[in-house]
Every structure is written in C-alpha cells, then in structure tokens.
C-alpha cells in the first residue's frame, strides 16, 4: 500500500522546515499549498484532516466541482495556480483566495471587473516565464514592470507577489537559477514590501525554492502520490 497522505505530509513538512532552517528562515515563513488536481474530494479531506488548509487547483472547472464537493471547512482556502482565461474570471474569483497565474493585462482586467462587482479586492500573483519557454504560461521578464504598473492601476486587484514554473528537469538544482532570477525580479520591482510572496517550488524542487526565498510552495505528488 502507498504511504498515507498523513505520512507524506509529515515528510514534506519536515523537509520544508529543514530547508528553511538551513537558509536561516523561520519555518512559518513558507506556506504549503497542496496541489489537488486530479485528486478526489475524499483525498482533499484526508489532507485537511492532516492539517492542510491551503489547496491549489489548475482548472477553474475542477476547482468549482471540488470546492462544492468538499464544502466549506474552517480555515480552508483554495488557490488557482494554472493559466486563467478571461471568460473564467468570475468563477475563479468566487472561489479562490489567491490567483497565482496572472500573466496578461486582459486577465487582470477581467478579474478586477468581477472583483469590483462583488466589492472585493482580489490578491493575485503575476506569473513570470523566467526561462522564456515558448508555450509556457507567464509574462516575459522584460514586460513585468509594465504589467505590474497596469495592475497597480486596477483598484480591485492587488498584486502581492510573483510566481514561476521553471523548465522541468529531474535535477532539482537545475531550477535554482530560475528561482534566483524570480527573486531578483522581485527585488528590482519593489522588494518584499511591495511583493511579499514568491510562489515557486514543486514536489521535486521545493527545497531549492525555499533556499532561494519561496514563501509559497505548490506540492502535489509528494503528498498525494502520482496522479491518475
Ligand atoms: C501540478 C502543479 C504543481 C504540483 O506539481 P507536483 O510535481 O505534483 O508537486 C505545482 N504548480 C503547478 C502550476 C502545477 O500545475
């Protein structure tokens, strides 16, 4: 039998704390977002019972369905971590505490419009395609400053940080330069006072991300096992 979610979580939390400690950071400085895409509502609840409170989904449709199945729970928050289409802005806004993948002005505008309708200020992260991979979500680093300025002009969204997904590699160290570049971009555009959150690091490279300053790590398979 596969190790339980509870056991996996304990291992992940220990490795997170160790990585934070090694780089002189408080363990509480890094938040675990459990990525539940293609996992059942039952497994979400198992993770919730083991102490997880932050959950991430890539697709708005799946987020809606799962949030309905799981129902409201004390302290539970959903994150939208994938690419977002403007026509899904309303649903994303209704369910997500934080939207990680904003990479275009049109998406920020759509979210701001919906947020204004419900009288909410939505926290968002701007996704940066640090490695400039074609077909990958995220804005080009050269337009980041302009995009941040455009977002700052929208009263109903508030950019609270940056997000990135480096090119996939089996070797976690390969991600380091991309995490470091995201950190440097953050310093260039206002530092932690303006952009407190850095969402970077997944199952295989979260320890490296924490060493490079991640405040949010998005972890799926290390908690839930391989996806179906
Ligand atoms: C799936 C996904 C994750 C989690 O990946 P794992 O390798 O399963 O930890 C993190 N971030 C995004 C954007 C994802 O799509």
């Amino acid at each position: 039998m596969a190790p339980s979610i509870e056991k996996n979580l304990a291992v992940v939390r220990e490795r997170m704390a160790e990585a934070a400690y090694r780089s002189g950071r408080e363990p509480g400085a890094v938040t675990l977002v459990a990525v539940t895409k293609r996992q059942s509502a039952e497994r979400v609840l198992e993770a919730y019972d083991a102490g997880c409170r932050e959950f991430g989904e890539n697709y708005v449709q799946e987020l809606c369905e799962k949030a309905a199945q799981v129902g409201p729970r004390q302290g539970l928050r959903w994150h939208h971590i994938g690419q977002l289409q403007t026509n899904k802005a309303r649903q994303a806004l209704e369910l997500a505490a934080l939207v990680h993948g904003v990479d275009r002005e049109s998406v920020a505008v759509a979210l701001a419009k919906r947020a204004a309708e419900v009288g909410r200020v939505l926290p968002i992260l701007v996704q940066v395609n640090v490695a400039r991979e074609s077909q990958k979500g995220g804005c080009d680093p050269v337009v980041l400053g302009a995009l941040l300025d455009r977002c700052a002009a929208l009263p109903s969204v508030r950019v609270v940080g940056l997000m990135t997904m480096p090119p996939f590699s089996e070797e976690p160290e390969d991600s380091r330069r991309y995490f470091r570049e995201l950190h440097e971009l953050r310093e260039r555009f206002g530092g932690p006072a303006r952009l407190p959150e850095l969402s970077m690091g997944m199952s295989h490279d979260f320890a490296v991300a924490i060493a490079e300053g991640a405040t949010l790590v998005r972890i799926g398979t290390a908690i839930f096992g391989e996806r179906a």
Side-chain angles (χ1 to χ4, degrees), residues 35 37 58 81-82 163 165 202-204 218-222 227:
V35 176
K37 62 182 176 209
N58 290 53
I81 62 171
M163 183 268 216
M165 244 177 117
M202 314 193 338
S203 289
H204 67 295
R218 310 177 309 267
I219 301 180
T221 46
R227 284 176 284 272

Side-chain angles (χ1 to χ4, degrees), residues 51-203:
C52 267
R53 291 296 178 268
E54 314 281 328
F55 295 92
E57 284 284 341
N58 290 53
Y59 299 104
V60 173
Q61 184 69 30
E62 193 177 344
L63 170 57
C64 293
E65 287 166 10
K66 222 167 286 176
Q69 288 162 358
V70 169
R73 305 269 159 172
Q74 182 73 35
L76 187 153
R77 301 189 340 140
W78 290 100
H79 296 238
H80 187 270
I81 62 171
Q83 267 184 300
L84 191 59
Q85 278 141 20
T86 52
N87 62 348
K88 298 284 167 83
R90 179 189 295 276
Q91 291 161 296
L93 171 90
E94 280 169 8
L95 290 163
L98 181 64
V99 175
H100 291 230
V102 177
D103 61 0
R104 273 163 297 154
E105 188 184 4
S106 60
V107 170
V109 167
L111 286 169
K113 190 171 158 212
R114 302 303 173 205
E117 285 169 8
V118 297
R120 179 172 178 210
V121 176
L122 179 74
I124 61 174
L125 303 178
V126 170
Q127 183 176 353
V128 188
N129 185 354
V130 176
R132 296 186 170 87
E133 290 174 278
S134 59
Q135 321 241 311
K136 188 98 164 232
C139 72
D140 190 296
V142 296
V143 305
L144 176 60
L147 182 54
L148 288 172
D149 288 345
R150 298 285 173 83
C151 290
L154 301 168
S156 301
V157 292
R158 190 161 51 87
V159 180
V160 296
L162 306 178
M163 183 268 216
T164 200
M165 244 177 117
F168 182 77
S169 161
E170 296 284 340
E171 171 51 54
E173 279 298 328
D174 290 347
S175 299
R176 188 179 295 273
R177 53 186 282 227
Y178 303 108
F179 294 152
R180 192 166 286 174
E181 193 173 333
L182 193 73
H183 193 152
E184 284 165 7
L185 285 167
R186 188 264 289 272
E187 296 315 299
R188 196 156 117 218
F189 292 107
R194 183 183 179 198
L195 300 168
E197 307 291 351
L198 287 179
S199 170
M200 55 190 199
M202 314 193 338
S203 289

